[in-house]
Amino acid sequence: MTLLVDTSVWSLAFRRDAEPSSPTVGALRAAIGGGEAIVTTGLILQELLQGFAGPRARKDIIERFSALPLLVPDRHDYVDAADVRNRCRRSGVQIGTIDALLTQLCIRHELTLLTTDGDFAMAARHCPLRLWRPTI
């Protein structure tokens, strides 16, 4: 399984006061420790850099993300992301533009999304988005 880790999970993982028992952060740590494939996008990198202040945080994020493959959306991804967003909206589910694009990238590249954002669970009801789920 290849993971696309959403900004919500990275933010928790980078916080010093993060709850150590967070299942998503635990899954991220296990994936990193187990050598699982993890990819990212420029949008996630940008959101993280905008959310953390200070040159040290910036340097740490850039350094850590340099090891991850970077998915770059193409024209078809943007068109298909609009279709995903419109399909969700017709079903009464509102997702943002960035979330629609991340959803589309996961669908296209057959990725599993690791996220704490409930909007993706709503979107997954209307498209073939694979979400990470904790094992019980």
Side-chain angles (χ1 to χ4, degrees):
M1 158 176 51
T2 302
L3 291 175
L4 176 66
V5 180
D6 185 36
T7 306
S8 61
V9 177
W10 287 115
S11 293
L12 283 174
F14 286 141
R15 288 176 53 130
R16 291 188 185 143
D17 60 346
E19 177 62 40
S21 63
S22 166
T24 53
V25 173
L28 174 58
R29 290 183 178 140
I32 292 169
E36 285 189 51
I38 299 172
V39 299
T40 194
T41 70
L43 292 168
I44 292 170
L45 175 59
Q46 181 181 344
E47 285 182 327
L48 282 171
L49 292 170
Q50 290 170 176
F52 284 87
R56 182 170 180 199
R58 182 181 187 279
K59 180 180 179 270
D60 287 346
I61 291 168
I62 291 170
E63 187 175 293
R64 291 175 190 212
F65 270 64
S66 68
L68 299 177
L70 187 72
L71 293 179
V72 179
D74 66 16
R75 181 181 308 267
H76 296 289
D77 290 316
Y78 292 105
V79 171
D80 292 343
D83 291 342
V84 165
R85 188 168 189 263
N86 290 336
R87 187 176 329 125
C88 287
R89 188 180 65 223
R90 282 192 302 273
S91 299
V93 174
Q94 294 293 326
I95 63 170
T97 300
I98 291 174
D99 290 353
L101 184 56
L102 295 178
T103 297
Q104 170 53 31
L105 288 172
C106 286
I107 294 168
R108 176 182 172 197
H109 296 282
E110 299 180 352
L111 306 171
T112 299
L113 182 64
L114 181 60
T115 185
T116 62
D117 186 338
D119 289 345
F120 288 107
M122 298 294 289
R125 295 178 184 164
H126 307 284
C127 64
L129 173 62
R130 287 189 283 196
L131 295 173
W132 176 86
R133 305 260 189 229
T135 55
I136 298 174

